[in-house]
Amino acid sequence: LSIPSNIAFNLVNLPLIEQLYFYPRYQSFLEDSVSDSRQTTTFEQNIARQLEINGIAITDLQALNINNTESFLDAAQIVTEELRTQSLLSRNVGKDTLTATARQLLDQPSILSWGCSDKLLRIVREYLKLPVAYDGLSFYYSVANGKERGPRKWHRDKEDWKMLKVCVYLHDVDLDSGPLESVSPSVNQQICQDHPSYKVFSSKKLQKFLGNNQDDWYTSCTGKSGTVIFIDTARYYHRGRPPIKQDRSAVFFSYFSTRPKNPYYCGRSPLSQQQLIQIAEKLPKSARDSITWRSNLKGIGRYIPKNRLKV
């Protein structure tokens, strides 16, 4: 199922094709887009500024002050407990991560709707400088087994030139309970120059590549319950550190432009396009347009089947 998207991705990322066609198309999209920073607050502009400099910005739910946060947290705790219970079942022994199903998310609609609040969409727009596509969410319950596999390895996401994921911790996260980690800008530049094809690294291999250049080369995003992390996962190498002492529950909301570089790598949410459209009908226009971005997608990318690989 992933063969067509893998072929398309390899063609798009051939240096000649990328530089002669796809990157100029992206620049043209930027030039044609109208951004009005007068609509954003100083707080929102500061988040976007931190992202532009460091690829990451950390705040918390209290500072964000989004209206339906309390109902979002109540719903998220219900799903967390369901996933915790499922993780103890014999059929899930050996799994690194459990994810919320479409049914669980549909039963708790306040989780999805929190991710398309006006404030979050303004922050994403301020950073991308483009119309925002909201790709839904992934609800991860990571088991504390210390295994470095899948998204626990260092990687970059492939959806777009720039994108944002907004991670919300649902309990206190220290170094032993799987914090989100991101490499520093200078080290990230070094990796991308020498490995332009989205190479995936284990920690051991990445440290070998870096040699002695290992002082402060990454940020571990530890924090209390309610910590919120904005991170550009397309530009920056990142990972979920393998938890070793405590399971981690977190929600990741995903955003990119309405004309993403690789649309067949989008759509990681367990909700189907039809389910997203039905939910969007009940939301304000700004949220509705962001959720239903795929309906207006043009070009051959719209018809290439979605990639099924996680990293």
Side-chain angles (χ1 to χ4, degrees):
L1 290 174
S2 293
I3 288 175
S5 56
N6 286 336
I7 292 173
F9 175 79
N10 290 332
L11 287 173
V12 168
N13 286 277
L14 286 172
L16 189 62
I17 295 177
E18 182 182 73
Q19 293 303 316
L20 290 182
Y21 178 71
F22 286 99
Y23 188 68
R25 188 184 70 165
Y26 168 63
Q27 291 295 319
S28 177
F29 190 21
L30 281 170
E31 292 170 2
D32 293 342
S33 178
V34 177
S35 179
D36 188 358
S37 293
R38 292 175 299 177
Q39 297 179 0
T40 59
T41 65
T42 300
F43 173 85
E44 294 160 2
Q45 292 171 13
N46 285 338
I47 293 287
R49 191 176 301 113
Q50 291 177 53
L51 284 162
E52 196 61 52
I53 296 171
N54 299 313
I56 194 166
I58 302 174
T59 184
D60 57 47
L61 291 173
Q62 184 176 359
L64 275 176
N65 193 28
I66 294 173
N67 288 336
N68 61 337
T69 293
E70 187 173 345
S71 58
F72 156 61
L73 282 176
D74 290 343
Q77 291 302 333
I78 292 173
V79 177
T80 291
E81 185 57 28
E82 290 175 354
L83 294 177
R84 188 195 70 81
T85 301
Q86 292 172 19
S87 73
L88 301 176
L89 300 176
S90 58
R91 68 172 182 267
N92 292 321
V93 171
K95 288 187 177 180
D96 300 332
T97 304
L98 280 76
T99 58
T101 64
R103 175 46 53 195
Q104 287 173 309
L105 296 180
L106 289 172
D107 287 344
Q108 306 295 339
S110 59
I111 300 177
L112 181 79
S113 62
W114 187 89
C116 57
S117 67
D118 286 342
K119 179 169 286 190
L120 286 178
L121 293 180
R122 285 197 304 268
I123 292 172
V124 179
R125 174 70 187 242
E126 180 69 14
Y127 174 64
L128 296 181
K129 306 299 183 185
L130 289 170
V132 177
Y134 173 39
D135 206 35
L137 64 102
S138 295
F139 198 122
Y140 293 126
Y141 187 89
S142 300
V143 179
N145 60 11
K147 303 294 185 182
E148 189 182 19
R149 297 185 291 217
R152 297 178 178 190
K153 292 185 175 182
W154 295 95
H155 64 283
R156 286 194 298 143
D157 294 345
K158 301 174 180 178
E159 285 90 324
D160 209 348
W161 299 94
K162 293 171 68 174
M163 64 178 292
L164 275 184
K165 285 192 176 176
V166 178
C167 170
V168 181
Y169 288 163
L170 300 175
H171 57 78
D172 295 354
V173 175
D174 59 18
L175 285 176
D176 292 331
S177 45
L180 179 63
E181 297 183 324
S182 177
V183 302
S184 66
S186 60
V187 170
N188 188 72
Q189 184 179 21
Q190 180 185 354
I191 299 171
C192 293
Q193 285 176 346
D194 292 352
H195 301 280
S197 299
Y198 296 90
K199 183 177 177 63
V200 177
F201 293 91
S202 67
S203 283
K204 185 176 180 180
K205 286 185 177 179
L206 187 53
Q207 289 174 1
K208 183 178 179 180
F209 165 72
L210 295 175
N212 294 325
N213 183 21
Q214 294 186 30
D215 293 336
D216 300 323
W217 64 272
Y218 69 94
T219 298
S220 278
C221 302
T222 57
K224 298 289 186 180
S225 177
T227 295
V228 181
I229 304 158
F230 292 79
I231 178 172
D232 188 333
T233 56
R235 290 174 59 208
Y236 281 81
Y237 271 88
H238 63 282
R239 71 164 184 168
R241 187 186 185 103
I244 58 176
K245 289 187 178 180
Q246 177 182 309
D247 296 350
R248 186 200 72 182
S249 183
V251 188
F252 287 76
F253 301 90
S254 183
Y255 312 85
F256 36 77
S257 76
T258 53
R259 291 173 58 183
K261 180 183 180 185
N262 299 304
Y264 31 82
Y265 275 93
C266 303
R268 302 296 189 178
S269 166
L271 295 169
S272 69
Q273 183 68 9
Q274 187 58 41
Q275 288 169 329
L276 288 170
I277 290 174
Q278 290 174 351
I279 292 171
E281 291 174 350
K282 305 174 184 178
L283 298 173
K285 185 178 186 305
S286 59
R288 188 165 62 247
D289 290 345
S290 293
I291 290 177
T292 58
W293 65 273
R294 191 179 287 273
S295 300
N296 299 315
L297 187 64
K298 299 178 180 179
I300 193 173
R302 179 175 182 173
Y303 304 101
I304 298 174
K306 184 170 66 174
N307 190 278
R308 302 291 174 174
L309 301 178
K310 292 298 183 183
V311 177

